[in-house]
Amino acid sequence: MGGPNAALRRDMEAKGIDLALSLQILEDYNAGLYDGVKPVRAKGVPAIDGHSVVAMNDKTEYALPEAEAEARLAGLGLPTPDTARRVPAAGGGGRDLVFPRAALVELGERLYTRTAYGVLNGGSATSYADRKKNLAFGAEAFEALATGFETLAPLCKDRPKGLTPAYLNPDGSPGASFLALKMRARLVALERCRKRYGADFGKTGPSGAGEGANAGEGGEFLPLFQMASVGNRAELEESYASYEKDPLLGPLAARLGVAPCSFRTGVQPMISAYTHSEEGRPKRLFDRAYGAADTAIALPGGHGQC
């Protein structure tokens, strides 16, 4: 299959499109390699069966054979919660270790040092500002929220989803971004854990690589990683830098002695849009964006590249 002409190639390169990847996907599609892929369609909401889906409440308990539970905790470098209790095994011949809700909460918090938080920042908030997509919820629903939509839509267009306002203030001004709220929640959780489990909880940072960075509670607290794209990485980094002075984040981060947010980043290449399925096969690189010849559209490849 022939590649793009020189003018289209220059346009694709200027937009950060990975030409080799775009052509490979195109070749595979036209060869029929994706013909067997069926869209995933939800059939319903899974039932609360007490095994795969568990209802958490004040009476929730989880039991394991004592030896198995202690081995798992030791393997993670975690102490047995004080609220766990040992009882005779239901089937006899040994004891179980029972974890009530308070113990499960404690284990969850202590596991923050062995858990990462990922953000898919490759795409933009197109759907947030798209009137047609929002009208799909129903004209009456859209009309009820139209004022907020008209205010937020210009603030969302072409921006990374996470950097768009999560709400409007009572005076109509944009509130904090989704990512800023997530980063504050992370800092609040760290402060709570240090009060409960000691001032050294989660103090190993990215520079503490090696075994210590991943062992027990000495590891880094909820390290962050993201998938960005060549089209938005600079905007993301600029916003993260501003969090040092953000009143929601800066003072709390300084008190804890950590950065408001520090992401490990993978940069996602963009791919080209292709001709519409209505044009049939073989598909081609779409080269008439906005009616201009030799003009491509750059799109994020998808969450699978995270």
Side-chain angles (χ1 to χ4, degrees):
M1 178 181 296
N5 61 38
L8 181 57
R9 182 184 292 269
R10 287 194 297 270
D11 181 73
M12 293 173 72
E13 291 175 348
K15 293 173 178 173
I17 293 174
D18 186 322
L19 177 57
L21 177 60
S22 297
L23 290 176
Q24 184 61 59
I25 293 172
L26 184 62
E27 181 178 343
D28 290 346
Y29 177 87
N30 286 328
L33 298 187
Y34 305 142
D35 289 355
V37 177
K38 304 296 182 183
V40 176
R41 300 189 185 281
K43 293 183 178 179
V45 177
I48 299 175
D49 60 7
H51 179 68
S52 298
V53 182
V54 179
M56 290 293 292
N57 54 52
D58 290 340
K59 296 181 180 180
T60 297
E61 292 188 338
Y62 187 78
L64 278 175
E66 182 181 30
E68 180 182 351
E70 290 180 338
R72 290 191 184 187
L73 292 173
L76 292 168
L78 300 180
T80 301
D82 291 339
T83 52
R85 64 183 189 277
R86 292 170 171 80
V87 300
R95 296 195 300 178
D96 285 343
L97 192 55
V98 179
F99 299 90
R101 179 170 182 169
L104 295 174
V105 169
E106 177 180 337
L107 291 177
E109 290 178 335
R110 290 184 184 275
L111 285 171
Y112 277 137
T113 58
R114 301 185 65 89
T115 307
Y117 183 83
V119 183
L120 301 169
N121 271 327
S124 61
T126 306
S127 59
Y128 295 2
D130 190 304
R131 176 179 291 271
K132 182 177 179 180
K133 287 187 176 181
N134 282 277
L135 273 168
F137 291 105
E140 291 185 0
F142 181 85
E143 185 63 28
L145 301 170
T147 301
F149 175 83
E150 298 297 346
T151 302
L152 283 169
L155 303 174
C156 298
K157 186 174 175 58
D158 299 325
R159 300 204 71 199
K161 290 184 177 72
L163 297 185
T164 59
Y167 57 91
L168 293 175
N169 291 311
D171 63 1
S173 61
S177 70
F178 289 99
L179 273 174
L181 294 181
K182 291 290 187 182
M183 296 303 98
R184 179 171 172 81
R186 174 175 175 264
L187 294 174
V188 169
L190 174 57
E191 185 173 50
R192 181 177 65 247
C193 287
R194 286 188 177 171
K195 289 178 180 177
R196 292 180 178 177
Y197 312 122
D200 291 332
F201 187 92
K203 278 204 168 179
T204 300
S207 60
E211 293 182 8
N214 296 306
E217 295 170 8
E220 180 184 356
F221 184 86
L222 203 59
L224 306 170
F225 73 94
Q226 69 173 345
M227 175 189 72
S229 77
V230 294
N232 66 18
R233 184 178 186 181
E235 183 179 2
L236 288 163
E237 296 299 331
E238 182 179 345
S239 293
Y240 297 156
S242 72
Y243 288 168
E244 296 281 353
K245 298 179 181 179
D246 190 305
L248 279 176
L249 299 165
L252 179 55
R255 186 164 73 244
L256 295 170
V258 299
C261 65
S262 179
F263 280 91
R264 295 163 171 85
T265 300
V267 180
Q268 175 189 39
M270 307 294 276
I271 62 172
S272 172
Y274 304 112
T275 52
H276 197 279
S277 297
E278 291 180 353
E279 296 186 27
R281 280 185 170 157
K283 276 186 178 289
R284 300 175 290 102
L285 297 174
F286 182 67
D287 58 1
R288 292 289 186 275
Y290 315 110
D294 301 321
T295 306
I297 293 180
L299 299 172
H303 294 171
Q305 288 183 330
C306 183

